[in-house]
Amino acid sequence: MTDPAYRRLGLPVTASPFAVLRAAVRALHADTRAVRSFRMARKRFYRQMLCAHAARQAADNKPTG
């Protein structure tokens, strides 16, 4: 099961990790990005998006034979 927040990013499987980060940053509201106390939560969110993307890429590269 893919994370719903990752699915909302709308990225192709071939997207680079940097593209995933850019999309994740844009997905957060500007006010959320501005609050300093949310820094650790934002980092956790970005890591979750990167892990979900890596898992999707790994699932897509499985041999089917």
Side-chain angles (χ1 to χ4, degrees), residues 32-60:
T32 303
R33 291 191 311 259
V35 178
R36 290 182 58 90
S37 62
F38 290 170
R39 185 172 186 229
M40 295 305 292
R42 285 191 310 268
K43 285 178 147 185
R44 187 172 46 248
F45 174 72
Y46 300 148
R47 278 193 304 269
Q48 288 174 346
M49 296 303 104
L50 287 170
C51 288
H53 186 66
R56 182 174 170 209
Q57 284 180 329
D60 192 52

Side-chain angles (χ1 to χ4, degrees), residues 15-34:
S16 70
F18 188 69
V20 174
L21 281 177
R22 283 188 308 198
V25 168
R26 288 187 198 126
L28 295 176
H29 192 273
D31 291 341
T32 303
R33 291 191 311 259

